[in-house]
Amino acid sequence: MNTSQLCPKFEKAMSILSKRWTGLVIYQLLSGPQRFCTIESSIGISGRLLSDRLKHLEDEGIVKREVYPETPIRIEYSLTEKGLALQPLMKELEKWSQDWITSKDT
Amino acid sequence: MNTSQLCPKFEKAMSILSKRWTGLVIYQLLSGPQRFCTIESSIGISGRLLSDRLKHLEDEGIVKREVYPETPIRIEYSLTEKGLALQPLMKELEKWSQDWITSKDT
DNA sequence: ATACTTACTTACGAAAAGTAACTAAAGTAA
DNA sequence: TTACTTTAGTTACTTTTCGTAAGTAAGTAT
C-alpha cells in the first residue's frame, strides 16, 4: 500500500535528482555545453552510466544533444530551459555544503 | 582515473541527496518530528530501507532520534540544525517541480 | 497464556551500478 | 592500402543495492 500524501510533481522531481549521477551531470552542464568525454572525466562517471543518464535527461527534457559533424565528430550536451531552471537549487546545495559539510565528512 | 574537478563538499552533499529516499525522508521531516511508521506510510518506503536511511542520516548529523518509553514505545525522528538548513533547497525543488513537471510526466 | 502494537531485522530474488574491454564511424599517416 | 587515432558510445560480467515478505523483541492488555 503506497498511500502517498506527497505532491506527485514534487515526488517526480525528487526521483530525478535522487538517481545517482543525474544531479552532478546537471551541475556540470550548468557551466556550459560540453561533450561526452568532458563530462565523463570531470565528474568521474563511467561511459556506460553517463550514456544512460544523458538519455534519461533528454527524455525528461532537461538536456539536449547536438551533433556537429566535424573531425573528429563533436557531440555537445547542454541544458534546456527546464534544466537551466535548476540553477537556483544547485546554488542552494552549494551554500548548504559550504556551511554544513566538514572536511572530515568527505 | 577519477580526476574530480568538483568541490568535495558539494560532491558529498550531492551524494547524500542522490541516494534514493533520503531526499523524501528529509522533506517529510521538515513538517515536524515524527515516528517511524508515519514516515514509512507517508512516503511509501519499506521498513527495511527506512531503517537504513535513518541510520545514515543520523550518522551524517542530519536527523536525530529520540526514544519516549511510553506505551507503546514512541520513537521520534527529527531534523537537526544541519537538516533544517536544507529547507531553502527543498523550497527550490518545490518551485521547480511546480513550474516544470507536467502532469503527464508523473 | 495469547494477542496487539511499534520498531525494527533477516532472508532472498530482482534490479541497478561498476569495471573493463570492445565496436562504429570518420579522418590521418605511412 | 593498411594501420592508427579520436570520439562516442555498447556489451559482458561481477558486485552492490533494492524491494518484498516474513520474523523478532519489548512492553502492555485481556
Side-chain angles (χ1 to χ4, degrees), chain B residues 13-92:
Chain B
M14 189 63 93
S15 80
I16 294 170
L17 249 24
S18 65
K19 204 160 174 71
R20 192 165 186 196
W21 298 112
T22 49
L24 285 181
V25 169
I26 294 167
Y27 182 74
Q28 185 63 27
L29 287 176
L30 278 171
S31 58
Q34 48 207 288
R35 43 191 8 187
F36 193 92
C37 62
T38 309
I39 305 171
E40 193 176 4
S41 61
S42 57
I43 67 175
I45 190 179
S46 72
R48 179 193 166 308
L49 287 183
L50 181 54
S51 179
D52 178 87
R53 292 305 185 269
L54 287 170
K55 247 172 243 160
H56 278 116
L57 287 170
E58 250 193 287
D59 292 347
E60 297 291 351
I62 290 170
V63 161
K64 62 173 178 287
R65 178 181 192 271
E66 281 185 287
V67 181
Y68 300 88
E70 301 170 357
T71 287
I73 195 169
R74 181 163 59 100
I75 295 174
E76 269 195 354
Y77 293 92
S78 57
L79 294 174
T80 61
E81 205 189 340
K82 183 175 178 180
L84 284 168
L86 283 165
Q87 187 147 38
L89 187 147
M90 294 295 173
K91 288 289 159 204
E92 288 295 340

Side-chain angles (χ1 to χ4, degrees), chain A residues 3 9 13-14 25 28 31 42 44-46 49-50 53 65 77-78 80 82-83 89 92 96 100 103:
Chain A
T3 52
K9 292 186 180 185
M14 188 64 92
V25 170
Q28 185 62 28
S31 58
S42 57
I45 189 179
S46 71
L49 288 182
L50 180 55
R53 291 306 184 272
R65 179 181 192 270
Y77 292 92
S78 56
T80 61
K82 183 175 176 181
L89 187 146
E92 287 295 340
W96 184 81
W100 294 97
S103 41

Side-chain angles (χ1 to χ4, degrees), chain A residues 92-101, chain B residues 7 9-10 13:
Chain A
E92 287 295 340
L93 189 57
E94 275 181 341
K95 234 186 284 178
W96 184 81
S97 69
Q98 290 305 312
D99 291 348
W100 294 97
I101 304 289
Chain B
C7 168
K9 292 186 179 185
F10 183 80

